[in-house]
Amino acid sequence: MALKRCLMLFLMVLALSLGALSLTACGGDPTPMVIEVEKVVERTVEVEKEVVVVATPTPAAPAGPPIKVGVLYGLSSIAAVYTQGAVKGHNLAVSEINAAGGVLGRPMELAVRETHLSPTVAVRETQSLVLEEEVDFLMGTISSGVAQAVSEFAKENRIIFIDSLAQSSTTTANLGHRYVFRSATDTVISGRAVATVMAERPETKYVTIGPDYAFGHDAVNDFMGKLQELKPEVEVVAELWPPMLNPDFTPFITAILEEKPDAVYASMWGGDQINFIKQAIPFGFFDQTTLVAYNMDLDILKAVGAEMPEGIVAGSGFPWYSLDTPAAQKFTTDYFNATGEQPMIGALQGYTATLVLAAAIEKAGTTETEAVADALEDLTIDTPTGRITIRAFDHQADPMIWVGSSVQSEELPFPILTDLVPVSGSDVILSIAEVEARRAGQ
Amino acid sequence: MPLLAGAGLLVAAPFVLSDFKVILLGEIAIFALLAVSYNLLLGYCGLVSFGHAALFGIGGYTLALILAKTGTPFVVALVSAPIMGAAAALVMGFLALRLAQIYFALFTLAVGQVAWSVANKWVSFTGGDDSLAVTAASIPDPISSPGSESLYFFIVAIVAAALLVLYLMVNSAFGYTLQAMRESPTRAEFVGIPVRRYRLLAFVISGLFAGLAGGLFAVHNHFVHPEMLFWLVSAQVLLMSLLGGVHLFWGPALGAGLVVYLRDSVQGVFPELTEKHLGQILTLEGLTLGAVALAVAIFLPLGVGGMLQRAVRLAASRLGARGRASGEGPAPGPPAFLGTAAAEEPRGRR
Amino acid sequence: MLLSVSSFTSCLSDPGCVVFQLLGGLSMAMVLFLIASGLSLIFGVLRIVNFAHGSMYMMGAFTAYWLVSRFAGTPGHFWIALVLAPLVVALIGGAVEVVLLRHIYRRSHFHQFLLTFGLILIIADVMRMSFGGEFKSISRPDLLSGSVSVMGRPFPEYNFFLIVVALAVALGMWLVLQRTRLGRTIRAAASDREMTSALGVNVPLLFTMVFALGAGLGGLAGALDAGRGVAISPTMDVQIILLAFIVVVVGGLGSFGGSLLGALIIAEVTTFGILLLPQFALAFVFVIMAVVLLLRPWGLLGKPLEE
């Protein structure tokens, strides 16, 4: 009896998993992604050849004990779209670094852990990485709550933590300390970049909407603060804070439309942003007002797809489809060759963080924490989107942001941002006086 | 005898195991206390609560807030955690205990979620999603470092003392009354036991120890986060309790150990496999814990603890047959409150 | 905070605005109703609180996505998906009942909670393994992609369609429950299980059918919502299940009409709450649930349970 049940249960789980696997095998993503990217790849082949030539002198294979780096991300649920790519970006950087002789002649090695977007799990995994794997450095995190928890751990245990993805400006500005660094943009750079573009436009009557947690609030305040500074006549007629992971935006959409704003600033990300846009379309939302989005990268562009309304203003940290610099094209090509995927923003951020760490260790000439922390301060390196500097005062980097408006692409199977205005991170980053004021207010 | 051996192992553990394993053991101890306190409602009263996470979180936030916002000594903060847990339980229990079974479960779910959203939304007070730090400076020196032996002994000593108090309580007239009420509330009412008052007392005691567990968790982790109050934590404690065996005092503690250990193990096993075969890194924690939950619900109504107990009794009766009579007499059947199928199955096999 | 409460409250004096908001709330209510009625039906007959009901909704959305991609070239692929997805979910639901639930009806309700909780975890991981973590979405059918003017404001045709479908399902269900043999059996089983089996009804088959029907309703809600533009991801289940619980608790566990009433109350309160006091709108629903539980634990239209 029990045996029979056991067998049935087993078969059930097996059937579910097999069914699942077969779905992936035959269904999957219908977009002819591979073919389309090849176009982009073709365009860049020549550039790639040049670069390969530069890198030819074969370096000695790395030797000695590996430099171990712990990488922490929420790899499943809502964050997967950013973090699965980020891990691949980290891996690509590590394989390039090791192929070029490693860091200080030693190989670099990653240990990746899942945080489930939970600060508690993240701290437990961080302890496991530091105590069991004996990693020398930490990278990663998505979700500002997790970033802060890991940052606090880094502070107490004097271990360097490079925040590669999580964006809330609080981590480096208000709560910054000696051991936390961020190689990605923060909400200030991203928010203000969009604000500088919106300040040139006629809209003055705004409604803001953002997910009701630290990131959402930071992203709205950092944008609106800058916009009102540049353009004092801007007024906010309503602020809406839907919960994160909100499936139904209808009541928010109808409430916004009743306000008849000139523009709506939205700081939702991932699924929330997709829900909002797709549900707003049939209300004629995009004929009545302008949507200004915190950012819009491949995750949103692809998921909204052919329905994407034109003219949404948004920032992007890596619009590779329009960047013609050799560095950006080389990264796009290499990443595609290594993974068979187009790089989402996470891929670039994971890649960049790894380069930053490797460069700092080289500069310090040792893996000793204090020396590497010193080396990270004012470190300047070239990334696929240009040169970045980790500011010594608050450890925040200053990558570029492009602000453009959405349009259906003729070449690619998904909409893109066009009329891109590059905004240099160093022009909009928090001033040192502002960071000091924030820290004093803590 | 086994108790002494267990105590010996717990004392030896930090000298043998790595620092990280010591941290995991500390976490197990805290969840063991949480699960045993939960079982006071589940196993002894037959009540399923989804608000236990809220009591746990309230304990944690009490300690963290007192340390962060006032200059109060650590001991006061640590003592306040269980007191606030009990106070919250008094309010929650007073309202919830008027409701029967499923409505009780859903009401505790609703109240717990309200507490969770307060922790999440009242950012200026609780720090919201940014968590609230319990700085090393605010904890007395010997126990301020995670992974240290002194912190481990501190946690284990408090948990052991709390478990001892709970053990004495459930083996007193109070505990027997609770069990009598569980089997038949109407009969208990009839013979003059004030059922609701007894259950409220059990709820408050359960909240007291949940709050203590929350306070310890805050000390152990050096921060608190709203996720401590989320209903899924209650569901996990339910899993721990049923996995270990709710009709045994030690069952939920065993279940807590198994769940924490299992969760830590899958973190290392699946990521490589899934990256290779699925192109994504997945821990498959849900699949693993879910399969355990199904297995317990269907095959192990008495939990792993119940199975072990049966094995021990079986061995004892074999020994007894060879002349050494066991003093315990015939093993009592599994409690009826676990449902009829649960009660019939083991009997049928004997 | 820069809240301009005044301009929103002016909506209440403008009939156009009120009607428009009511309609918006109605489309939200109808999705909630479909999910909640399945949950409530299962509870009414099987006496099981199915925590995994949100997973049925999620599987409905994923199945619709999968079918839409499979039949991408075929005309009418959306309609194929909309019809097939609930059927697939109903089949899975039936299988779950036969393989798993059947063994635990006589167990304590904690084992039942545990089993459905385990299902949540497993189904979410299986979806993640199969479809990955990227957000999926499907497009509205061309036929319904436009909007109609309601009091001078554009309102999506698809939302009208959704409201009509859900009302048709409600009417159909009501007819089945009131007028057919199956419906009478279900109602009899809901009010007295022992009596039903004594009367010679095939109870196991009835239970399988009811669970499959409930799951199918959840799947239909998922497929309809996917068409409305809800992003499809392995976290959809947890997002919806709490709302569904609130609806059935307010309306009354096991009451079909209660699901409809509960869904209307929760959706309209949310909609107008966002207009009037956006900061607290979403806390209202929990407060309503707690108050209903305190004053009328069995819900507005439910019947008290015997212990």
Side-chain angles (χ1 to χ4, degrees):
Chain A
M1 180 62 198
L3 190 73
K4 197 177 132 204
R5 278 190 203 164
C6 186
L7 197 70
M8 264 155 76
L9 181 74
F10 177 73
L11 285 178
M12 170 85 188
V13 171
L14 194 72
L16 271 176
S17 334
L18 280 182
L21 284 177
S22 63
L23 285 185
T24 358
C26 52
D29 194 341
T31 332
M33 180 162 75
V34 175
I35 304 165
E36 296 296 337
V37 173
E38 273 168 3
K39 278 185 195 162
V40 182
V41 173
E42 269 167 32
R43 266 196 283 161
T44 63
V45 161
E46 287 168 34
V47 187
E48 193 194 8
K49 275 177 190 156
E50 284 169 31
V51 178
V52 168
V53 172
V54 179
T56 350
T58 343
I67 297 172
K68 293 183 88 172
V69 186
V71 178
L72 296 140
Y73 286 117
L75 289 159
S76 41
S77 76
I78 178 170
V81 67
Y82 306 99
T83 52
Q84 294 283 348
V87 172
K88 290 170 183 160
H90 284 292
N91 283 334
L92 178 64
V94 166
S95 58
E96 284 180 8
I97 289 167
N98 288 345
V103 184
L104 306 175
R106 292 163 61 186
M108 206 172 187
E109 198 179 294
L110 301 179
V112 184
R113 293 297 176 87
E114 159 78 279
T115 66
H116 290 287
L117 295 183
S118 148
T120 315
V121 176
V123 166
R124 192 71 67 248
E125 289 305 312
T126 310
Q127 288 165 334
S128 163
L129 284 169
V130 173
L131 298 173
E132 294 217 304
E133 300 278 341
E134 300 184 330
V135 301
D136 305 297
F137 305 96
L138 296 168
M139 291 193 288
T141 75
I142 186 160
S143 164
S144 51
V146 173
Q148 249 114 74
V150 175
S151 168
E152 196 62 32
F153 178 92
K155 183 174 158 191
E156 283 194 1
N157 296 276
R158 295 165 196 275
I159 182 163
I160 288 171
F161 162 48
I162 300 182
D163 174 356
S164 52
L165 237 76
Q167 306 229 316
S168 171
S169 54
T170 314
T171 314
T172 45
N174 311 36
L175 300 173
H177 55 83
R178 173 149 173 86
Y179 304 100
V180 67
F181 298 83
R182 175 159 35 209
S183 54
T185 49
D186 63 354
T187 44
V188 171
I189 294 177
S190 300
R192 287 183 177 179
V194 179
T196 53
V197 171
M198 288 313 290
E200 306 292 314
R201 300 189 26 147
E203 292 88 350
T204 54
K205 186 177 168 189
Y206 277 77
V207 171
T208 66
I209 176 168
D212 197 4
Y213 76 110
F215 163 81
H217 285 259
D218 281 352
V220 166
N221 297 337
D222 290 335
F223 166 81
M224 201 40 83
K226 185 71 179 177
L227 183 60
Q228 286 179 326
E229 177 198 317
L230 294 173
K231 198 175 176 187
E233 65 269 34
V234 165
E235 59 160 344
V236 178
V237 293
E239 289 182 338
L240 296 172
W241 303 108
M244 192 164 126
L245 297 178
N246 184 44
D248 194 340
F249 278 96
T250 308
F252 294 95
I253 293 163
T254 52
I256 290 172
L257 291 178
E258 285 307 323
E259 282 293 324
K260 301 187 174 57
D262 301 333
V264 177
Y265 179 73
S267 70
M268 283 87 69
W269 54 283
D272 284 336
Q273 182 84 289
I274 298 164
N275 282 344
F276 183 82
I277 295 174
K278 290 198 74 159
Q279 290 169 27
I281 295 167
F283 281 96
F285 187 95
F286 299 94
D287 306 325
Q288 299 174 51
T289 187
T290 302
L291 182 66
V292 183
Y294 173 75
N295 74 4
M296 199 183 278
D297 286 302
L298 231 49
D299 54 328
I300 314 278
L301 293 168
K302 275 186 170 176
V304 180
E307 285 181 69
M308 179 68 84
E310 306 214 329
I312 297 177
V313 181
S316 170
F318 190 40
W320 53 266
Y321 41 78
S322 302
L323 299 185
D324 49 10
T325 61
Q329 296 201 351
K330 174 177 163 12
F331 174 72
T332 306
T333 314
D334 290 350
Y335 184 82
F336 180 75
N337 288 340
T339 64
E341 293 170 9
Q342 298 153 325
M344 301 232 179
I345 179 72
L348 172 79
Q349 291 171 331
Y351 183 80
T352 305
T354 319
L355 294 191
V356 165
L357 180 62
I361 299 171
E362 282 290 354
K363 185 172 146 195
T366 164
T367 57
E368 196 269 318
T369 299
E370 299 301 328
V372 178
D374 285 338
L376 273 164
E377 295 192 341
D378 277 332
L379 178 81
T380 297
I381 68 158
D382 288 317
T383 75
T385 55
R387 181 158 295 185
I388 63 168
T389 301
I390 311 264
R391 188 162 65 182
F393 184 75
D394 60 348
H395 299 179
Q396 170 62 45
D398 55 355
M400 295 278 283
I401 290 281
W402 284 264
V403 183
S405 57
S406 59
V407 66
Q408 289 296 336
S409 165
E410 282 162 18
E411 280 181 38
L412 292 159
F414 49 85
I416 57 171
L417 294 182
T418 186
D419 301 328
L420 292 168
V421 180
V423 180
S424 172
S426 53
D427 292 342
V428 286
I429 193 169
L430 277 180
S431 71
I432 287 176
E434 285 170 312
V435 177
E436 280 173 336
R438 283 195 183 202
R439 288 187 181 171
Q442 276 294 303
Chain B
M1 223 354 239
L3 208 65
L4 274 180
L9 280 180
L10 282 177
V11 171
F15 303 106
V16 183
L17 297 174
S18 70
D19 281 4
F20 180 66
K21 291 285 186 278
V22 173
I23 291 177
L24 272 192
L25 268 186
E27 182 170 343
I28 289 175
I30 291 166
F31 275 98
L33 176 59
L34 186 65
V36 173
S37 75
Y38 184 69
N39 201 38
L40 197 60
L41 296 177
L42 187 71
Y44 291 88
C45 297
L47 295 167
V48 179
S49 162
F50 285 102
H52 212 62
L55 305 176
F56 178 60
I58 285 170
Y61 270 96
T62 302
L63 181 131
L65 283 168
I66 289 180
L67 289 183
K69 314 250 160 175
T70 68
T72 324
F74 177 76
V75 182
V76 178
L78 188 64
V79 171
S80 307
I83 293 175
M84 285 303 288
L90 182 68
V91 177
M92 194 194 279
F94 178 76
L95 298 172
L97 283 166
R98 302 151 26 129
L99 308 172
Q101 279 196 5
I102 282 165
Y103 297 114
F104 174 86
L106 291 174
F107 182 80
T108 50
L109 177 68
V111 175
Q113 286 305 100
V114 170
W116 170 75
S117 41
V118 170
N120 232 346
K121 294 218 167 187
W122 195 1
V123 178
S124 58
F125 187 58
T126 63
D129 182 59
D130 282 348
S131 19
L132 186 65
V134 179
T135 55
S138 64
I139 305 175
D141 198 27
I143 57 165
S144 65
S145 158
S148 68
E149 284 135 29
S150 42
L151 176 61
Y152 168 80
F153 285 128
F154 173 75
I155 289 172
V156 167
I158 291 186
V159 168
L163 288 180
L164 184 68
V165 171
L166 273 165
Y167 184 77
L168 294 175
M169 223 174 250
V170 301
N171 284 301
S172 67
F174 172 69
Y176 297 135
T177 313
L178 288 183
Q179 292 174 60
M181 282 165 16
R182 178 193 68 205
E183 299 308 328
S184 173
T186 14
R187 201 182 305 157
E189 195 92 62
F190 190 71
V191 298
I193 301 171
V195 171
R196 249 184 76 192
R197 209 178 301 159
Y198 263 85
R199 285 190 167 166
L200 186 58
L201 186 57
F203 204 112
V204 170
I205 294 168
S206 171
L208 183 86
F209 288 105
L212 177 62
L216 289 177
F217 200 57
V219 176
H220 189 237
N221 279 349
H222 285 204
F223 72 94
V224 287
H225 185 269
E227 67 181 349
M228 275 175 88
L229 292 91
F230 200 59
W231 73 275
L232 284 173
V233 175
S234 302
Q236 286 208 358
V237 178
L238 176 73
L239 170 64
M240 289 170 179
S241 304
L242 285 167
L243 174 63
V246 291
H247 64 297
L248 298 168
F249 178 79
W250 302 105
L254 176 67
L258 289 173
V259 168
V260 173
Y261 175 76
L262 198 65
R263 206 192 294 140
D264 183 60
S265 317
V266 297
Q267 289 268 6
V269 180
F270 289 119
E272 280 185 26
L273 283 178
T274 54
E275 188 175 19
K276 200 165 147 203
H277 296 292
L278 296 169
Q280 335 164 31
I281 299 176
L282 298 176
T283 55
L284 304 187
E285 184 185 311
L287 205 60
T288 317
L289 289 184
V292 170
L294 296 198
V296 169
I298 295 176
F299 304 116
L300 279 179
L302 302 179
V304 175
M307 205 172 64
L308 287 176
Q309 190 192 35
R310 244 199 287 158
V312 168
R313 290 223 164 110
L314 200 69
S317 69
R318 291 257 165 89
L319 285 177
R322 274 195 268 143
R324 280 204 261 148
S326 75
E328 279 192 42
F337 74 100
L338 289 175
T340 44
E344 275 159 17
E345 210 176 74
R347 265 184 208 143
R349 220 177 276 159
R350 229 180 275 147
Chain C
M1 285 279 134
L2 300 146
L3 275 182
S4 60
V5 176
S6 58
S7 66
F8 275 142
T9 40
S10 71
C11 172
L12 295 183
S13 52
D14 173 2
C17 179
V18 171
V19 171
F20 183 63
Q21 299 295 334
L22 274 174
L23 262 181
L26 195 59
S27 49
M28 178 180 178
M30 287 302 122
V31 173
L32 285 180
F33 159 69
L34 284 177
I35 302 169
S37 63
L39 189 63
S40 190
L41 185 72
I42 291 172
F43 177 79
V45 178
L46 280 69
R47 286 285 183 269
I48 278 193
V49 178
N50 181 20
F51 272 82
H53 203 67
S55 310
M56 304 298 157
Y57 162 84
M58 176 171 74
M59 283 197 285
F62 269 112
T63 314
Y65 165 78
W66 178 63
L67 290 166
V68 164
S69 343
R70 263 342 279 271
F71 296 102
T74 326
H77 56 277
F78 174 81
W79 305 103
I80 299 175
L82 189 61
V83 173
L84 285 184
L87 293 178
V88 170
V89 178
L91 276 178
I92 296 175
V96 164
E97 199 278 337
V98 171
V99 178
L100 300 172
L101 285 177
R102 182 161 290 182
H103 306 292
I104 58 153
Y105 292 132
R106 304 175 72 194
R107 291 267 156 80
S108 67
H109 59 298
F110 355 133
H111 288 108
Q112 299 166 358
F113 282 136
L114 184 68
L115 190 133
T116 56
F117 171 63
L119 277 176
I120 296 183
L121 300 177
I122 292 180
I123 292 173
D125 259 8
V126 169
M127 291 297 123
R128 209 165 276 147
M129 283 163 65
S130 326
F131 294 95
E134 275 182 50
F135 300 101
K136 309 285 189 273
S137 75
I138 57 183
S139 302
R140 284 174 199 81
D142 292 339
L143 196 61
L144 297 173
S145 59
S147 50
V148 277
S149 172
V150 174
M151 313 293 272
R153 298 163 170 86
F155 189 82
E157 286 169 358
Y158 188 89
N159 291 29
F160 273 117
F161 164 75
L162 191 153
I163 294 169
V164 170
V165 170
L167 286 176
V169 169
L171 186 66
M173 288 265 300
W174 185 78
L175 285 175
V176 168
L177 284 175
Q178 297 297 322
R179 298 290 156 85
T180 66
R181 209 181 119 78
L182 174 69
R184 277 194 294 274
T185 321
I186 290 178
R187 279 187 298 139
S191 57
D192 190 339
R193 263 197 286 187
E194 279 69 34
M195 186 63 90
T196 326
S197 60
L199 288 174
V201 173
N202 182 347
V203 174
L205 181 66
L206 178 71
F207 279 18
T208 309
M209 283 172 67
V210 166
F211 196 84
L213 181 61
L217 285 170
L220 176 64
L224 279 170
D225 241 4
R228 192 160 61 112
V230 168
I232 305 163
S233 82
T235 49
M236 295 174 84
D237 51 349
V238 189
Q239 299 163 33
I240 208 79
I241 188 67
L242 282 178
L243 271 182
F245 272 139
I246 295 172
V247 167
V248 290
V249 165
V250 169
L253 267 170
S255 157
F256 184 72
S259 302
L260 190 56
L261 181 65
L264 284 171
I265 291 176
I266 295 303
E268 295 298 353
V269 164
T270 309
T271 305
F272 283 91
I274 286 167
L275 271 182
L276 301 176
L277 277 172
Q279 286 281 356
F280 303 103
L282 298 151
F284 284 157
V285 293
F286 279 111
V287 174
I288 291 177
M289 173 172 170
V291 168
V292 167
L293 271 170
L294 284 179
L295 300 180
R296 219 181 133 80
W298 48 90
L300 295 177
L301 297 183
K303 284 191 215 98
L305 266 185
E306 67 281 24
E307 260 280 89

